[in-house]
């Protein structure tokens, strides 16, 4: 599979990517646990069918020491015993926030209550921003058909500077 356009060779796309990655740094530097951040990114990417982002974030999570069993069970997190209650709340928010068009109510009151039970205001803001950001990244990569498989952990770190 080949991408429809190389976004890194495009001046507008490259400028946007630099700012997009910069926005991600705000979330990364928040108190929202890094493991939770990667789980959310992976789950949204799975739902959106974004191979590039699924590849990227599973490799980043692995490099950060995430257990293979947890990565393998993200898509079926409700049936898995390896996720904490805060992670379950974040995964539920990620799913409902990603599937907005599939329901008339957006994020349910039940999911919101669980998120508020486990995360403080800063973490909730980071979580909401993360769901929005990963969904945008998924859409960009799915539209251009960015291929999965070649990502190396830390590959885009230099772009954030």
């Amino acid at each position: 599979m080949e991408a429809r356009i190389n976004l890194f060779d495009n001046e507008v796309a490259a400028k946007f990517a630099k700012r997009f990655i910069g926005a991600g740094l705000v979330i990364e530097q928040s108190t929202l646990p890094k493991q939770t951040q990667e789980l959310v990114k992976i789950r949204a990417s799975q739902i959106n069918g974004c191979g590039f982002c699924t590849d990227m974030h599973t490799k980043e999570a692995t490099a950060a020491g995430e257990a293979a069993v947890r990565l393998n069970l993200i898509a079926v997190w409700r049936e898995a015993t390896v996720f904490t209650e805060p992670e379950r709340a974040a995964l539920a928010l990620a799913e409902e926030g990603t599937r907005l068009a599939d329901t008339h109510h957006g994020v349910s009151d039940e999911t919101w209550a669980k998120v508020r039970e486990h995360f403080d205001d800063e973490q909730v803001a980071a979580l909401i921003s993360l769901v929005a950001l990963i969904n945008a990244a998924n859409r960009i990569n799915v539209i251009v058909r960015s291929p999965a498989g070649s990502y190396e952990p830390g590959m885009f770190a230099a772009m954030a500077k």
Side-chain angles (χ1 to χ4, degrees):
M1 181 173 162
E2 237 178 86
R4 291 176 165 162
I5 183 175
N6 183 339
L7 294 175
F8 297 105
D9 284 344
N10 179 289
E11 184 179 347
V12 171
K15 285 180 183 177
F16 179 80
K18 183 175 178 73
R19 286 160 180 82
F20 195 83
I21 291 168
L25 285 176
V26 174
I27 300 163
E28 286 179 34
Q29 294 168 356
S30 75
T31 60
L32 183 66
K34 302 296 183 256
Q35 284 183 307
T36 301
Q37 290 182 38
E38 290 302 334
L39 295 175
V40 165
K41 291 181 222 179
I42 294 165
R43 186 63 190 125
S45 298
Q46 290 171 333
I47 292 167
N48 288 322
C50 185
F52 184 83
C53 291
T54 300
D55 178 44
M56 174 192 299
H57 296 296
T58 55
K59 287 177 178 174
E60 288 290 349
T62 299
E66 184 61 80
V69 68
R70 285 168 45 90
L71 293 174
N72 293 333
L73 293 173
I74 293 170
V76 293
W77 63 269
R78 284 180 183 81
E79 293 81 26
T81 60
V82 297
F83 300 104
T84 66
E85 288 304 313
E87 290 168 340
R88 290 175 177 286
L91 287 165
L93 182 72
E95 287 188 358
E96 291 179 25
T98 296
R99 293 183 164 138
L100 292 174
D102 296 346
T103 179
H104 69 280
H105 60 72
V107 174
S108 70
D109 290 339
E110 178 184 353
T111 294
W112 185 253
K114 294 261 187 211
V115 166
R116 293 304 297 174
E117 178 183 332
H118 296 290
F119 299 102
D120 64 25
D121 286 351
E122 178 184 328
Q123 293 168 325
V124 170
L127 190 54
I128 293 166
S129 300
L130 178 60
V131 171
L133 196 65
I134 191 59
N135 274 278
N138 292 162
R139 280 148 179 77
I140 291 167
N141 285 296
V142 169
I143 289 167
V144 302
R145 293 188 178 161
S146 296
S150 63
Y151 181 81
E152 297 292 329
M155 196 165 129
F156 297 132
M159 290 183 72
K161 296 176 181 171

